Amino acid sequence: MAARMATAVVVGTHGGTDVLSVVSVPVPQPGPGEILIEVEAAGVAYADVLMRRGVYPETPRTPFTPGYDVVGRVLAVGPSVTTLVPGARVAALTVTGGCSTHAIARADLTVEVGEGLHAAQLTALVLNYVTASQLLHRVAAVPRGATVLVHGAAGGVGTALLELAHLHGVRVIGTASGQRTKAVTARHAIAVDRRLGPIKDEVLRHAPAGVAATFDPIGGPHLARSRALTAPDGVVVSYGISFAVDDGRSRFPALLRQGAALARAKITPGPGVRLYVIAGRRGWVSKHPEHLRDDLRGLVCLLEDGTIAPEVTTLPLSEVASAHERLESGAVPGKLVLITGSTP
Ligand SMILES: NC(=O)c1ccc[n+]([C@@H]2O[C@H](COP(=O)([O-])OP(=O)(O)OC[C@H]3O[C@@H](n4cnc5c(N)ncnc54)[C@H](OP(=O)(O)O)[C@@H]3O)[C@@H](O)[C@H]2O)c1
């Protein structure tokens, strides 16, 4: 019997967007603890760009299918899965493999979601809003009334941080480039345009004693700048290495530079630096998959009752290269989502 086929995005080798292709592959089979999802919507994350370029800390070997987060319907469950049944509509953190009509997910990183909810907005919750929620509440534990600094504030995780911080009564100063500052002010935050020069004076004008927490997805040399804007008893949360793309660095020099920046932060006076990564060997979900499910369920309720409204831009799966280009050039605010067209 002919194998059932899926349509999947493949990164053939590390490089620019020309290494992305959309190909036909056999539908994968779920192993123990896994489910097979027929994908409605698959997120495109900056992590995908870093993986495609080969600078992500746990970059998979090529060829691989990127895709950190999906929404779809369970088609089959693997051995020992008792929590989900075929037919259920779900949202899942896949880390890789999501940009396909058919994806495998861990059952313990999957939650059931309502039928009527918008697939792309649900997808935005899985990586971006869960990350934002965990950064804010589990890692930095920012109290109501505090002022925080969010870098990349117009981006996927950034806009989620702004929305959740506002909901929690936290004042935000957010950095973004040029026109993207509009997405920051639209979310009740104080926008600082990083293209207009050093941001230090502008941030300290709004928070003279330094901010209570800085959320830094840039990493490397940027961490010292974040510490300088944070109160001595505050915290810098380092959750990305976007500097590696700007630098055009390859993986190991980028990781060495990040490691050196973290080591320097430990031995120089000032606020502490905490690392956060959602998945991978040292990922939050490796220790606490139940936190992902709890946080995601809570966020789905907030979407259901209209408390949050993730900003999304959708493209067909076949336009994945354009999606990467747009994400990399900062052309879209919020979350970019690929629609598979695999479901009616
Ligand atoms: N640790 C985790 O578990 C985790 C989870 C999710 C995401 N992340 C990380 O979070 C970051 C954001 O991801 P995303 O998917 O939401 O992407 P995104 O924010 O939509 O895109 C990244 C944005 O960051 C800003 N940026 C890029 N390089 C910068 C630099 N050198 N200095 C200052 N700002 C810079 C740019 O916005 P402006 O030009 O407007 O400033 C850019 O558009 C990525 O580094 C990603 O890897 C980490």
Side-chain angles (χ1 to χ4, degrees), residues 38-41 101 315-317 338-344:
E38 186 173 21
V39 176
E40 279 175 67
T101 53
L315 285 173
L317 186 71
L338 300 174
I339 304 296
T340 62
S342 72
T343 46

Coordinates of all heavy atoms in Angstrom, one line a residue, residues 38-41 101 315-317 338-344:
E38 N -2.9 16.5 12.5 CA -3.2 17.1 11.2 C -3.2 18.6 11.4 O -4.1 19.1 12.2 CB -4.5 16.6 10.6 CG -4.7 17.1 9.2 CD -5.9 16.5 8.5 OE1 -6.8 16.1 9.2 OE2 -6.0 16.6 7.3
V39 N -2.2 19.3 10.9 CA -1.9 20.7 11.3 C -2.9 21.7 10.5 O -3.0 21.6 9.3 CB -0.5 21.0 11.0 CG1 -0.2 22.5 11.3 CG2 0.5 20.1 11.8
E40 N -3.5 22.6 11.3 CA -4.2 23.7 10.7 C -3.3 24.9 10.5 O -3.4 25.6 9.5 CB -5.4 24.1 11.6 CG -6.6 23.4 11.7 CD -7.5 24.0 12.8 OE1 -8.0 25.1 12.7 OE2 -7.7 23.2 13.8
A41 N -2.6 25.2 11.5 CA -1.8 26.4 11.6 C -0.4 26.1 12.3 O -0.4 25.3 13.3 CB -2.5 27.5 12.4
T101 N 1.9 19.6 7.0 CA 0.5 19.3 7.1 C 0.3 18.2 8.2 O -0.8 18.1 8.7 CB -0.1 18.7 5.8 OG1 0.8 17.6 5.4 CG2 -0.1 19.8 4.7
L315 N 0.1 33.4 6.4 CA 0.6 33.1 5.0 C 0.3 31.6 4.8 O 0.3 30.8 5.7 CB 2.1 33.4 4.9 CG 2.6 34.8 4.9 CD1 4.1 34.9 4.9 CD2 2.1 35.5 3.6
P316 N 0.2 31.2 3.5 CA 0.1 29.8 3.2 C 1.4 29.1 3.5 O 2.5 29.7 3.4 CB -0.3 29.7 1.7 CG -0.3 31.1 1.2 CD 0.0 32.1 2.3
L317 N 1.4 27.8 3.8 CA 2.6 27.0 4.1 C 3.6 27.2 3.0 O 4.8 27.3 3.2 CB 2.2 25.6 4.3 CG 3.3 24.6 4.7 CD1 3.7 24.8 6.2 CD2 2.8 23.1 4.6
L338 N 1.7 30.1 9.6 CA 1.5 29.5 8.2 C 0.2 28.6 8.3 O 0.1 27.8 9.3 CB 2.7 28.6 7.9 CG 4.0 29.3 7.8 CD1 5.2 28.3 7.5 CD2 4.0 30.3 6.6
I339 N -0.6 28.8 7.3 CA -1.9 28.0 7.3 C -1.7 26.9 6.3 O -1.3 27.1 5.1 CB -3.1 28.9 6.9 CG1 -3.2 30.1 7.9 CG2 -4.4 28.2 6.8 CD1 -3.5 29.8 9.3
T340 N -2.0 25.7 6.7 CA -1.7 24.5 5.8 C -2.7 24.3 4.8 O -2.4 23.7 3.7 CB -1.6 23.2 6.7 OG1 -2.9 23.0 7.3 CG2 -0.5 23.3 7.7
G341 N -4.0 24.6 5.1 CA -5.0 24.3 4.1 C -5.3 22.8 4.1 O -6.0 22.3 3.3
S342 N -4.8 22.1 5.2 CA -5.1 20.6 5.2 C -6.4 20.3 5.8 O -6.9 19.2 5.7 CB -4.0 19.9 6.0 OG -4.2 20.2 7.4
T343 N -7.1 21.3 6.4 CA -8.4 21.0 7.0 C -9.4 22.0 6.3 O -9.0 23.1 6.0 CB -8.4 21.2 8.5 OG1 -7.8 22.4 8.8 CG2 -7.8 20.1 9.2
P344 N -10.7 21.6 6.2 CA -11.6 22.5 5.5 C -11.8 23.8 6.3 O -11.6 23.9 7.5 CB -12.9 21.7 5.5 CG -12.7 20.5 6.3 CD -11.3 20.4 6.6

